[in-house]
């Protein structure tokens, strides 16, 4: 059935020249943004006569926005500038809402996402796939922190069983307009894009790629931000932490009950004195720590509910600069 639908979608797309839009989230990328946009524009020109680029400046403190505005006229580039730094997930969300294309592609501003891969992605779209994502092949050269953290994160997400996030797939991906419309329709503020991509579904396929070396600067994602993003993903798409809390509570209750029986039997039949004080203090400290830990987990979920019900916009756009021909 799936093969039939792929063939039907493929037949309808073979003769179509789609409008291509590339969205580029950027934060302090003044040194790399010109070459990145130029490379993307050169590739898009070879793929279609209808294309544009949307750069979302995520509150950069350098000249990124001014450089993009200078490029906009000749490279079909729209600048969307945030009022402050809101984060990459929200920059991607904004880019999707400003994208005009039948096909939307998300790429990084640092030049590590090779534009030469766009042709293969477009070929997969013509075969009938609605989403084509790039799968990193260079994990072995990363630090132990990233490798073990990645394994732990994907293991927890897989254990939740709610969605299947492809391992090592990032934001570098092609999306059909139907996928983009579905993503834009989601109202949630706490956005973890990898999870949202997987949640909306559609026919998807991964293709391998190795990131190019950064021409300038270094990644803005620190270990703390990576852990924060991973925790957002876990709490947004999995109730596993709550289930673990319940499981640990049940186990501790059973152990406490068993220990109580041992104490009663010891007192009634063996008339041995219970050491009392060390056992009570150790048990109280342990159980209190576990309770505080799980209250903290509950608090995380409540905080996310609080963020959602306030209804604040996920980001604020301070400026939009779009070439006349794209209006």
């Amino acid at each position: 059935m799936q093969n039939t639908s792929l063939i039907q979608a493929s037949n309808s797309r073979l003769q179509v020249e789609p409008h291509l839009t590339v969205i580029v989230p950027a934060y302090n990328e003044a040194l790399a943004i010109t070459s990145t946009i130029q490379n993307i524009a050169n590739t898009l020109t070879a793929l279609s006569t209808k294309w544009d680029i949307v750069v979302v400046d995520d509150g950069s403190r350098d000249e990124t926005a001014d450089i993009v505005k200078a490029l906009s006229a000749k490279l079909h580039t729209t600048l969307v500038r945030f009022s402050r730094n809101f984060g990459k997930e929200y920059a991607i969300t904004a880019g999707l809402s400003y994208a005009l294309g039948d096909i939307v592609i998300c790429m990084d501003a640092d030049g590590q996402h090779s534009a030469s891969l766009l042709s293969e992605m477009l070929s997969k779209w013509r075969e009938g796939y609605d989403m084509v994502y790039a799968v990193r092949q260079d994990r072995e050269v990363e630090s132990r922190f990233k490798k073990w953290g990645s394994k732990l994160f994907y293991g927890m997400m897989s254990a939740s069983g709610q969605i299947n996030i492809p391992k090592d797939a990032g934001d570098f991906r092609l999306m059909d307009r139907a996928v983009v419309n579905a993503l834009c329709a989601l109202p949630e503020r706490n956005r973890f894009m990898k999870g949202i991509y997987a949640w909306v579904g559609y026919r998807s396929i991964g293709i391998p790629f190795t990131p190019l070396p950064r021409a300038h600067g270094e990644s803005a994602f620190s270990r703390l931000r990576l852990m924060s993003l991973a925790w957002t993903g876990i709490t947004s798409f999995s109730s596993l932490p709550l289930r673990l809390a319940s499981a640990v509570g049940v186990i501790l209750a059973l152990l406490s009950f068993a220990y109580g029986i041992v104490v009663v039997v010891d007192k009634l039949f063996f008339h041995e004195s219970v050491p009392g004080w060390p056992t009570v203090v150790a048990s109280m400290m342990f159980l209190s720590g576990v309770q505080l830990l799980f209250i903290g987990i509950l608090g995380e979920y409540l905080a996310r509910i609080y963020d959602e019900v306030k209804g604040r916009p996920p980001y604020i756009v301070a400026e939009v600069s779009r070439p006349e021909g794209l209006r």
Side-chain angles (χ1 to χ4, degrees):
M1 191 66 160
Q2 184 179 6
N3 290 336
T4 302
S5 61
L6 278 173
I7 293 173
Q8 292 174 346
S10 176
N11 291 335
S12 66
R13 294 172 178 177
L14 286 176
Q15 305 302 322
V16 175
E17 185 184 33
H19 183 134
L20 306 178
T21 297
V22 173
I23 59 175
V24 183
Y27 177 67
N28 292 339
E29 295 288 355
L31 296 177
I33 194 66
T34 301
S35 59
T36 297
I37 298 302
Q38 186 66 64
N39 289 336
I40 293 173
N42 292 340
T43 302
L44 292 177
T45 302
L47 295 176
S48 177
T49 59
K50 298 177 290 185
W51 57 270
D52 71 297
I53 301 171
V54 177
V55 177
V56 183
D57 179 28
D58 186 21
S60 297
R61 295 189 297 270
D62 60 10
E63 295 79 28
T64 298
D66 295 330
I67 293 173
V68 173
K69 280 196 289 187
L71 295 173
S72 63
K74 58 181 179 179
L75 295 180
H76 304 182
T77 304
T78 296
L79 169 69
V80 178
R81 184 173 63 84
F82 282 175
S83 61
R84 65 170 178 84
N85 179 246
F86 285 91
K88 185 180 180 181
E89 308 297 292
Y90 301 108
I92 294 174
T93 301
L96 292 173
S97 66
Y98 281 91
L100 302 174
D102 307 305
I103 293 174
V104 180
I105 304 158
C106 183
M107 300 179 67
D108 282 354
D110 56 18
Q112 290 192 285
H113 293 166
S114 175
S116 62
L117 207 61
L118 299 186
S119 177
E120 184 178 354
M121 287 183 165
L122 185 59
S123 296
K124 292 297 182 182
W125 177 82
R126 293 193 185 279
E127 291 176 13
Y129 292 99
D130 299 308
M131 184 152 38
V132 185
Y133 53 87
V135 181
R136 294 188 61 156
Q137 303 295 300
D138 66 335
R139 290 298 187 188
E140 293 303 319
V141 300
E142 291 186 335
S143 64
R144 289 185 179 180
F145 173 81
K146 284 190 175 181
K147 286 192 288 187
W148 285 104
S150 176
K151 289 181 180 179
L152 177 62
F153 170 76
Y154 285 110
M156 293 187 68
M157 294 302 296
S158 176
S160 70
Q162 295 184 9
I163 56 172
N164 180 28
I165 299 178
K167 188 177 180 181
D168 297 332
D171 296 312
F172 186 17
R173 62 184 64 215
L174 175 149
M175 294 162 280
D176 184 79
R177 170 48 62 178
V179 178
V180 174
N181 290 341
L183 293 172
C184 291
L186 298 178
E188 59 201 74
R189 290 191 69 261
N190 291 292
R191 301 184 76 85
F192 177 67
M193 294 307 298
K194 286 185 181 180
I196 292 176
Y197 295 140
W199 186 88
V200 297
Y202 290 93
R203 295 179 292 264
S204 304
I205 189 172
I207 57 176
F209 96 110
T210 300
L212 300 174
R214 290 179 63 99
H216 303 280
E218 58 185 20
S219 175
F221 271 88
S222 62
R223 290 185 176 184
L224 185 60
R225 290 189 67 179
L226 287 173
M227 289 189 293
S228 176
L229 182 61
W231 183 244
T232 297
I234 292 170
T235 53
S236 295
F237 289 93
S238 172
S239 57
L240 183 62
L242 295 176
R243 292 176 180 174
L244 287 175
S246 299
V248 172
V250 170
I251 292 171
L252 289 176
L254 292 175
L255 290 175
S256 299
F257 181 72
Y259 180 70
I261 293 176
V262 170
V263 171
V264 171
V265 170
D266 193 37
K267 182 66 176 178
L268 293 178
F269 297 98
F270 299 99
H271 304 290
E272 294 183 3
S273 59
V274 180
W277 174 252
T279 303
V280 171
V281 172
S283 300
M284 288 180 61
M285 292 179 65
F286 174 71
L287 293 174
S288 297
V290 170
Q291 287 176 341
L292 289 173
L293 172 64
F294 294 145
I295 288 173
I297 292 175
L298 287 171
E300 283 287 336
Y301 281 89
L302 289 174
R304 300 195 184 282
I305 295 172
Y306 178 60
D307 277 344
E308 296 291 343
V309 300
K310 281 188 294 189
R312 291 177 182 169
Y315 56 84
I316 296 175
V317 175
E319 177 187 7
V320 177
S321 177
R322 173 169 279 170
E324 289 293 335
L326 296 176
R327 295 181 188 275

